Amino acid sequence: VSNFYTAVHPQITKSYAVGERKEMMNLVFQSSKFCFYLMLFLSVPVLIETPFILKLWLTELPDYVVIFTRLVILNTLIDAMSYPLITAAQATGKIMKYQLIVGSMLFLNLPLSYILLKFGLPPEITLYVSIVISILCLFMRAFMLRSMVGMSVRAYFTDVILIAFSVSVISLVLPVIIYINLEENLIRLLIVTVVSLLSTGISIWFLGLSKNERGFFIRQINKRFFHRK
């Protein structure tokens, strides 16, 4: 994801600098989805088989390690969608208000977590707080970009967030069924991993990508591997 984001970062900035707002928005929308899909592709099998994977690695599992691992991965998936939005905001050069609002929201992690822990809630509440704040920051970035660069919040919700959520749900169905019905062992881990990769890849291809995006990938594959234009 970092490598992909590094590649698309200057393109978003350049599109804004030369006044190509439509091209910029297309890059923001597409890269938000692609960052999420790259994370999702590898996250699904790990999210499902977290206990067994950690047992192979640690033998004896410390308290809360499974729930902490899953919640950190979920938080990272949400944050992955935000990277292109951050770049779009930075491209404008007018980020004082943006940084003040979003930065203040992120800072709430510490006091809110402290208060909830004081009330006796379990340690994982800190990551639930972080996830909620990450979701709120994602929407706040989208709303602020509406006034900064004219981005459509509704289009971002329907074309990026809703589609990404749908892909995630569909990708999980078959691997979870296998996880529930097979005994925990290395064979199940391998089966769940293979099925997860196939399920996620198929969901992304048919639901997560538009017709134009699929055409672009087909052209790139033909060009790179079959030397066709």
Side-chain angles (χ1 to χ4, degrees):
V1 172
S2 296
N3 289 337
F4 174 79
Y5 177 61
T6 300
V8 78
H9 183 287
Q11 296 180 46
I12 294 174
T13 304
K14 180 182 177 181
S15 296
Y16 178 83
V18 298
E20 296 177 351
R21 298 294 178 88
K22 184 177 180 180
E23 177 65 18
M24 177 189 178
M25 287 300 99
N26 286 336
L27 284 171
V28 169
F29 280 41
Q30 290 176 353
S31 54
S32 285
K33 289 195 298 183
F34 295 163
C35 283
F36 181 84
Y37 294 157
L38 286 170
M39 275 297 304
L40 182 70
F41 196 71
L42 298 177
S43 296
V44 170
V46 180
L47 283 169
I48 296 172
E49 286 284 4
T50 306
F52 185 66
I53 292 171
L54 291 175
K55 283 179 187 176
L56 290 175
W57 179 29
L58 302 173
T59 307
E60 294 184 9
L61 299 183
D63 294 339
Y64 306 107
V65 68
V66 173
I67 186 66
F68 268 48
T69 301
R70 284 172 167 165
L71 292 176
V72 166
I73 292 172
L74 289 175
N75 202 8
T76 306
L77 279 166
I78 296 166
D79 287 341
M81 299 179 70
S82 291
Y83 296 151
L85 300 181
I86 296 171
T87 298
Q90 292 173 340
T92 67
K94 302 173 183 178
I95 58 171
M96 185 176 72
K97 181 180 177 181
Y98 167 87
Q99 293 281 33
L100 182 64
I101 294 174
V102 176
S104 298
M105 291 177 66
L106 291 171
F107 181 75
L108 289 174
N109 268 298
L110 182 60
L112 287 178
S113 296
Y114 178 80
I115 292 169
L116 292 172
L117 290 172
K118 274 291 186 180
F119 276 101
L121 275 74
E124 63 265 28
I125 192 63
T126 56
L127 286 170
Y128 285 118
V129 169
S130 181
I131 288 171
V132 170
I133 289 178
S134 291
I135 293 171
L136 293 175
C137 285
L138 176 64
F139 281 98
M140 181 55 67
R141 290 183 178 106
F143 276 108
M144 295 194 71
L145 283 172
R146 180 174 61 180
S147 60
M148 295 171 75
V149 295
M151 189 181 88
S152 171
V153 177
R154 177 179 293 182
Y156 187 80
F157 178 80
T158 55
D159 296 345
V160 179
I161 297 177
L162 190 59
I163 289 178
F165 178 77
S166 301
V167 168
S168 302
V169 172
I170 295 173
S171 299
L172 284 165
V173 173
L174 188 56
V176 168
I177 292 173
I178 294 172
Y179 173 80
I180 293 172
N181 288 280
L182 293 183
E183 184 180 350
E184 183 184 84
N185 52 45
L186 189 59
I187 298 298
R188 189 188 71 177
L189 173 62
L190 294 174
I191 293 173
V192 167
T193 300
V194 172
V195 172
S196 295
L197 295 177
L198 290 173
S199 176
T200 306
I202 292 170
S203 298
I204 291 172
W205 183 258
F206 288 103
L207 180 62
L209 299 179
S210 66
K211 183 178 179 180
N212 289 336
E213 289 166 347
R214 288 195 296 270
F216 171 78
F217 280 110
I218 291 172
R219 288 193 298 273
Q220 291 301 310
I221 292 171
N222 286 332
K223 182 178 178 181
R224 290 179 180 273
F225 298 101
F226 303 104
H227 306 291
R228 299 173 183 170
K229 294 183 179 180

